Amino acid sequence: MSIEKKTLSEDLIDLVGADNVIIHDEELEKYGLDMFGEKHTPLLVVKPSSPAQFKRLNFILRRNKIASITPRGKGYDINLGAYSDDLIIDLTLLNKKMEIDTEKFVVTVQTGMNIADLQDQLEKKGFHLPIEPILNGTLGGFIASGGIGYGTFQYGSIMNYLRSATLILSNGQRIQTGTPGAPLFSRGYNLNSIVCGSEGFFGIIEEAVIEILPKTPHSLNLLLKTDINSLLSVIPKLANLSTIYNLSLFKTLNMHNPSGLDLFIRLEGAQTVVEEDFTKIKVLSEEKGSNLNEANNLWDNRPKNPSQIPPASTIIELIVPTKHIPEFIKFCEAFENPSYFGIFLDATSVLLYIFLGKEITPDRKSDILTELKTSANQFELYPPTIENNIKGFVKESYPNLALLKKLKPIFDKANRLKSRKFDF
Ligand SMILES: Cc1cc2nc3c(=O)[nH]c(=O)nc-3n(C[C@H](O)[C@H](O)[C@H](O)COP(=O)(O)OP(=O)(O)OC[C@H]3O[C@@H](n4cnc5c(N)ncnc54)[C@H](O)[C@@H]3O)c2cc1C
């Protein structure tokens, strides 16, 4: 270990204890392999557990001339992700505080908290956060990676529920990105959009104040066994129903229908409206196998952590326009029959995860990624996380890049330390 790294690790151990600093290569490697199989070796990993530690942490970083850090939750994000060669700040121990205000309908929570733990606590009080990711990452990771998932069809993204975040800038200073006491859609100061989808670019989100909703009084799950053509005719009709909470698409992942295409529908709302919608769905799907038990089973056992998703050599995350699903799936069939799982964000697009088999050779994998990349325009795919090419995507397509470029130096001037290094 270099003298610099040794001094840094001693300082960090002094701050958070030896159990909360990862220095050994084999443990560091667990933090370093992304979903594309690319290896990153973090300098070290430190796990702060209380807000009070951040001030000294910042001092230590400056003292050791650490120019760049990467905040991290569970590391489940597959595009920009929390993978880097930086010092990683693992925030999963920052999960002690959760204050639910059932009169004002808000929860104040430390961002290392798992989404599932947060939901459990809210549900005990009759509330819920209406949007949640497929995998049970941290609240901070969900906010920083844009926050869409189950519930987006009806409720949009986490941005619609975030009143304010406490952001630790790289000089240790804390700022509120919104006004915790003011309703979300009031006029005035609101910088929430610099944390939602920021991927940790501007600093560490330490705490968030989030609006919550009373739990929906009624829900109903159903499963339509379908084919591509019926799928396309059904989706636009479903968009007119008011209680669709979630629409998911499965191919070969669902054990009950290992070769077919399944559309999972969850309705949530007042009982009478849910039942009306259910009747309409039965009519428009011509009652093709709307199996309730299978659907309940699927929902209750939905995968929440990576060990429950199929073993795959690569997971590709894409947004595919609904109109291109048939050709896109046909195109993908050429890839050793991959499995899919998708969540419709609305009637026009699906967030699709493609699981490439574990047995695929590295050469074949790279061919597939190249094929996908060259076809991205043809299918209007977005974002091309293929080959971890998010930086190229941001450079070409992200409308706020110019603004970000202007903002970042201002943040960095106020801060002696960059929170995240990006070279465009
Ligand atoms: C099969 C599969 C399905 C998925 N489905 C969804 C989905 O439906 N919706 C969805 O949104 N994502 C989805 N993801 C991606 C990922 O699971 C989620 O984004 C998850 O919420 C990330 O949480 P995490 O704690 O693992 O964050 P990490 O992966 O650790 O971090 C995510 C990003 O946020 C930054 N970050 C983390 N914590 C903080 C913090 N406290 N402050 C500042 N920056 C921070 C990191 O630097 C990184 O850039 C999926 C991934 C897979 C593999």
Side-chain angles (χ1 to χ4, degrees), residues 71 73-77 81 91 134 138 141 144-145 148 199-200 205 353 420:
K74 287 291 188 95
Y76 295 162
D77 199 359
L91 294 151
I134 296 162
T138 61
S145 61
I148 52 173
E199 301 281 354
I205 311 164
Y353 290 88
R420 185 97 194 221

Side-chain angles (χ1 to χ4, degrees), residues 11 95 105 415 421:
D11 282 354
N95 61 359
F105 287 24
N415 309 315
K421 191 167 52 187

Side-chain angles (χ1 to χ4, degrees), residues 17-168:
D19 287 349
N20 294 325
V21 181
I22 295 176
I23 48 178
H24 298 298
D25 284 350
E26 45 308 354
E27 286 178 76
L28 288 174
E29 274 167 23
K30 292 185 198 148
Y31 279 79
L33 191 64
D34 72 16
M35 291 284 178
F36 294 86
E38 269 185 48
K39 279 194 183 139
H40 311 262
T41 311
L43 181 65
L44 293 171
V45 177
V46 59
K47 299 164 96 172
S49 58
S50 89
Q53 289 169 340
F54 284 104
K55 203 168 180 188
R56 224 179 101 214
L57 177 62
N58 185 262
F59 171 75
I60 292 170
L61 299 185
R62 268 189 287 143
R63 198 167 90 112
N64 288 273
K65 299 192 172 53
I66 301 295
S68 172
I69 56 121
T70 296
R72 175 176 169 121
K74 287 291 188 95
Y76 295 162
D77 199 359
I78 64 174
N79 42 22
L80 264 181
Y83 298 96
S84 79
D85 302 333
D86 287 344
L87 173 73
I88 287 188
I89 315 283
D90 177 332
L91 294 151
T92 51
L93 298 181
L94 199 69
N95 61 359
K96 315 284 178 310
K97 178 175 169 185
M98 183 191 319
E99 290 166 7
I100 304 173
D101 187 329
T102 54
E103 281 175 19
K104 294 187 177 147
F105 287 24
V106 289
V107 60
T108 305
V109 58
Q110 282 179 346
T111 53
M113 176 87 55
N114 283 353
I115 298 275
D117 292 346
L118 173 63
Q119 292 290 40
D120 283 350
Q121 295 303 317
L122 290 173
E123 279 180 22
K124 282 185 192 145
K125 306 241 172 188
F127 284 82
H128 73 152
L129 174 65
I131 313 145
E132 60 179 48
I134 296 162
L135 295 183
N136 178 31
T138 61
L139 177 65
F142 190 47
I143 295 172
S145 61
I148 52 173
Y150 293 120
T152 289
F153 201 91
Q154 193 176 127
Y155 295 100
S157 87
I158 188 78
M159 178 85 165
N160 299 344
Y161 292 85
L162 180 68
R163 273 205 185 173
S164 183
T166 308
L167 187 67
I168 307 181

Side-chain angles (χ1 to χ4, degrees), residues 183-348:
L184 257 175
F185 296 107
S186 43
R187 268 187 79 260
Y189 177 76
N190 188 334
L191 297 179
N192 286 334
S193 56
I194 65 162
V195 288
C196 282
S198 65
E199 301 281 354
F201 192 57
F202 291 119
I204 295 171
I205 311 164
E206 174 194 284
E207 195 173 286
V209 181
I210 297 196
E211 291 194 359
I212 48 177
L213 294 182
K215 261 195 90 153
T216 33
H218 199 67
S219 63
L220 204 149
N221 301 319
L222 62 150
L223 196 63
L224 300 185
K225 293 183 185 306
T226 184
D227 56 70
I228 293 276
N229 296 330
S230 339
L231 181 79
L232 279 202
S233 67
V234 165
I235 300 286
K237 294 175 194 152
L238 294 176
N240 298 325
L241 308 180
S242 61
T243 65
I244 298 219
Y245 172 76
N246 182 63
L247 269 186
S248 304
L249 183 70
F250 294 85
K251 181 136 197 325
T252 71
L253 271 185
N254 171 10
M255 291 307 139
H256 302 284
N257 184 13
S259 57
L261 197 66
D262 288 336
L263 187 65
F264 167 87
I265 306 174
R266 180 171 172 85
L267 306 174
E268 282 192 2
Q271 186 167 354
T272 46
V273 200
V274 165
E275 281 166 6
E276 272 168 34
D277 281 355
F278 180 52
T279 311
K280 287 180 194 159
I281 294 173
K282 282 209 288 187
V283 173
L284 65 89
S285 67
E286 296 155 356
E287 302 207 39
K288 262 194 250 160
S290 53
N291 190 321
L292 302 182
N293 285 339
E294 264 185 59
N296 287 338
N297 199 13
L298 205 60
W299 180 254
D300 293 342
N301 299 311
R302 62 192 184 280
K304 290 199 169 181
N305 67 63
S307 66
Q308 294 167 290
I309 59 176
S313 63
T314 297
I315 303 175
I316 297 163
E317 182 196 47
L318 296 162
I319 295 182
V320 184
T322 307
K323 63 180 180 193
H324 286 307
I325 293 174
E327 312 137 76
F328 182 66
I329 288 195
K330 211 182 247 174
F331 171 81
C332 287
E333 295 305 299
F335 307 159
E336 349 275 335
N337 206 13
S339 309
Y340 310 101
F341 171 69
I343 287 191
F344 282 87
L345 303 178
D346 54 27
T348 61

